[in-house]
């Protein structure tokens, strides 16, 4: 709750328009005008929350995501197969030419925070399509490479950025379409990484018969297919939540609407948040000192409130609205049919508490309106919930809206995917305490942070901005340096850095080591593809096992990394098909567990609210490690003339990363106890 001297008042024509709001949107201009003229009319506060449909078009999205991961990861993991021809043509060392592939994989990761910011501003579909076109163009331009340095920049840096623009939306969008089946859908989509390795290893070897330049052109055409897959990433229309208070006293209205000394309905809102009217009746909160002052590297970033914080403590009810988001009388009639009526024939209002069983939102509007609401003794503050179907089905009357109105309903909503705390969570939601302790809709309200006034203004204004609020806010959240003060996070981040330094080494040197030892090239390539096959199976198994509450993701991760590290170190003792296939099994399980469990471990260590921040730095650290890991291994090979040193280097790093994670749970508990002691002192 804000201090009285912090409140801001603004008088309007008939009543106070100031309100602390999350997404205060008046869907009907006519009613907005009427409200301004009549003090007795109720004021509607609205917020938009995305609730995954878990069915229908969601499965199409999962398949499209799988195909994107198959193409992108398949090319990345099999890129080292081109190195021998690069060495022969450009007359460079193996360590030097390794930078081409390592830059591709490194920039593919390091660009993650910046691509996330773009996806937050423009959406998943445009970023994916643009990334596929850009990546394909980079591969096509690589055909004309006159030197290896040209490949460094065009193929490695720019191609990696294009790949990241495809990969990040393809992975993150799964969480927006799936709730109950999130772990399964994410596991299937990420299996594309293993399938891609299995498919592209022999395919790349076959294409290299025609030369590496022709191979890059064909791969560029395959990357272009991701633009077609990305078209399936259609945005989800959010549920609109609206609060009204028809029977509140004037004193209560002033408190609710921010008129007077109290403008924040939630004590958790620690920063000042002031509201000002927006064009066409839209209202939103603004952060202190303007949203333009969002900064990176601050010790304590702005607190952006969630929908649950705004509505906390309010007893809410749902009612039909024939004016919401362009809906017509037909929708209103359908909603009224599903509601009980009073003896006079009027719709009966049923109230329910937000923190009790709120509602389970169905896939379509009729299911949502037929949900039973819990009756409580509460003021009739109204929650209005409505959503469009994911498949785009509309009522015939709704479908007759003009193109301009439809564009406004879609583009003007200012919902941002990266404003969700669980955007990067890939596991089962049952592992999140916030999900288990409340209803589905209440959970989504609790993890959805709200756009600022500046954000909504920029969304409605025409023109191009170099760095809009949606981009700045995402970057400031993902790169908030206050997280670097957390010992448990730094331990986790450094462990991931070491793992990633050794991660790509086997992909770069496995085939060369096997052929130099007398194995047939086709057999060696099959073993490389076998790592992808094992990775695919292990991801599904790991995801299923980690969904059990009794299984600790951290320990599963530690065991897998330990086994993978030892297998990498000893993989060169005896080189034959049997030993190399054994290594492929252990290493495939290792990388599968490392990739699948990272978000679960991060949530356990630092909490869901810091997950986005954690993934921003994890992608940077891991991208930096991937950039230099393989070239260092190549330098060791050049210095010793043996691949053993390269595999010792990679295996030792993976093993060390596992050892760093063993005490991680103890470090996390110590940090929690330390913070509990510091908090009362800071408050005093």
């Amino acid at each position: 709750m804000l201090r009285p001297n912090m409140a801001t008042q603004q008088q309007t024509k008939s009543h106070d328009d100031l309100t602390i709001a999350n997404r205060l949107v008046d869907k009907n201009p006519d009613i907005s005008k009427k409200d301004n003229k009549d003090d007795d009319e109720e004021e509607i506060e609205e917020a938009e929350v995305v609730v995954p449909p878990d069915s229908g078009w969601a499965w199409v999205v999962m398949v499209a995501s799988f195909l994107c991961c198959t193409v992108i990861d398949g090319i990345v993991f099999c890129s080292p197969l081109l190195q021998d021809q690069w060495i022969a043509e450009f007359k460079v060392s193996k360590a030097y030419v390794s930078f081409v592939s390592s830059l591709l994989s490194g920039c593919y990761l390091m660009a993650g925070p910046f691509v996330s910011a773009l996806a937050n501003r423009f959406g998943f579909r445009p970023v994916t399509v643009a990334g596929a076109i850009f990546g394909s163009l980079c591969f096509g331009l690589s055909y004309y490479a006159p030197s290896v340095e040209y490949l460094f920049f065009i193929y490695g840096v720019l191609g990696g950025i294009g790949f990241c623009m495809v990969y990040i939306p393809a992975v993150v969008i799964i969480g927006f379409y799936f709730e109950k089946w999130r772990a399964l859908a994410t596991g299937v989509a990420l299996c594309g990484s293993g399938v891609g390795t299995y498919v592209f290893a022999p395919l790349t070897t076959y294409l290299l018969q025609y030369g590496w330049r022709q191979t890059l052109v064909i791969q560029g055409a395959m990357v272009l297919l991701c633009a077609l897959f990305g078209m399936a990433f259609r945005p989800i229309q959010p549920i609109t939540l609206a609060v009204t208070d028809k029977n509140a006293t004037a004193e209560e209205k002033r408190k609710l609407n921010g008129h007077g000394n109290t403008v924040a309905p939630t004590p958790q809102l620690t920063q000042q948040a002031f509201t000002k009217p927006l064009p066409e009746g839209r209202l939103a909160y603004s952060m202190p000192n303007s949203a333009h002052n969002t900064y990176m590297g601050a010790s304590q970033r702005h607190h952006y409130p969630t929908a649950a914080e705004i509505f906390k403590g309010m007893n809410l009810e749902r009612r039909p609205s024939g004016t919401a988001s362009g809906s017509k009388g037909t929708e209103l009639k359908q909603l009224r049919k599903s509601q009980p009526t009073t003896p006079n024939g009027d719709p009966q209002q049923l109230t329910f508490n937000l923190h009790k069983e709120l509602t389970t939102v169905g896939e379509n509007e009729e299911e949502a309106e037929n949900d039973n609401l819990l009756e409580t003794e509460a003021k009739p503050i109204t929650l209005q919930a409505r959503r469009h179907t994911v498949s785009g089905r509309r009522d015939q009357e709704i479908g007759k809206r003009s193109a301009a109105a439809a564009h406004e309903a879609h583009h003007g909503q200012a919902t941002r995917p990266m404003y969700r705390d669980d955007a990067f969570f890939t596991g089962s939601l049952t592992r999140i305490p916030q999900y288990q302790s409340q209803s589905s809709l209440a959970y989504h309200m609790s993890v959805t942070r709200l756009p600022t006034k500046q954000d909504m203004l920029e969304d409605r204004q025409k023109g191009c901005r170099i760095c809009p609020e949606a981009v700045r806010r995402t970057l400031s959240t993902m790169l908030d340096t206050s997280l670097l003060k957390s010992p448990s996070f730094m331990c986790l981040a450094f462990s991931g850095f070491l793992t990633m330094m050794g991660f790509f080494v086997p992909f770069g040197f496995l085939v060369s080591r096997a052929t130099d030892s007398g194995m047939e090239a086709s057999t060696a390539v099959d073993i490389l593809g076998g790592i992808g096959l094992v990775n695919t199976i292990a991801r599904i198994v790991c995801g299923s096992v980690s969904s059990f509450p009794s299984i600790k993701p951290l320990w599963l991760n530690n065991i897998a990394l330990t086994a993978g590290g030892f297998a990498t170190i000893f993989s060169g003792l005896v080189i034959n098909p049997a030993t190399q296939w054994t290594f492929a099994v252990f290493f495939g399980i290792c990388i599968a567990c490392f990739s699948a469990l990272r978000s679960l471990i991060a949530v356990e260590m630092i909490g869901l609210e810091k997950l986005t921040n954690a993934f921003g730095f994890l992608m940077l650290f891991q991208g930096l490690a991937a950039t230099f890991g393989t070239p260092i291994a190549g330098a060791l090979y050049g210095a010793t003339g043996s691949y053993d040193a390269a595999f010792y280097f990679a295996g030792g790093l993976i093993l060390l990363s596992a050892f760093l994670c063993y005490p991680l749970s103890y470090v996390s508990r110590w940090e929690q106890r330390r913070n509990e002691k510091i908090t009362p002192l800071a408050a005093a």
Side-chain angles (χ1 to χ4, degrees), residues 131-145:
I133 296 174
F134 182 69
S136 177
L137 180 63
C138 291
F139 270 58
L141 292 176
S142 298
Y143 177 88
Y144 302 100

Side-chain angles (χ1 to χ4, degrees), residues 179-220:
E179 176 183 328
K180 179 181 178 182
W181 303 108
R182 175 183 285 204
L184 173 64
T186 304
V188 171
L190 293 180
C191 281
S193 174
V195 173
T197 307
Y198 181 75
V199 171
F200 274 83
L203 179 60
T204 303
T205 303
Y206 173 78
L207 293 176
L208 284 173
Q209 298 176 5
Y210 304 99
W212 66 268
R213 297 179 188 272
Q214 290 76 9
T215 299
L216 291 183
V217 171
I218 296 174
Q219 287 184 345

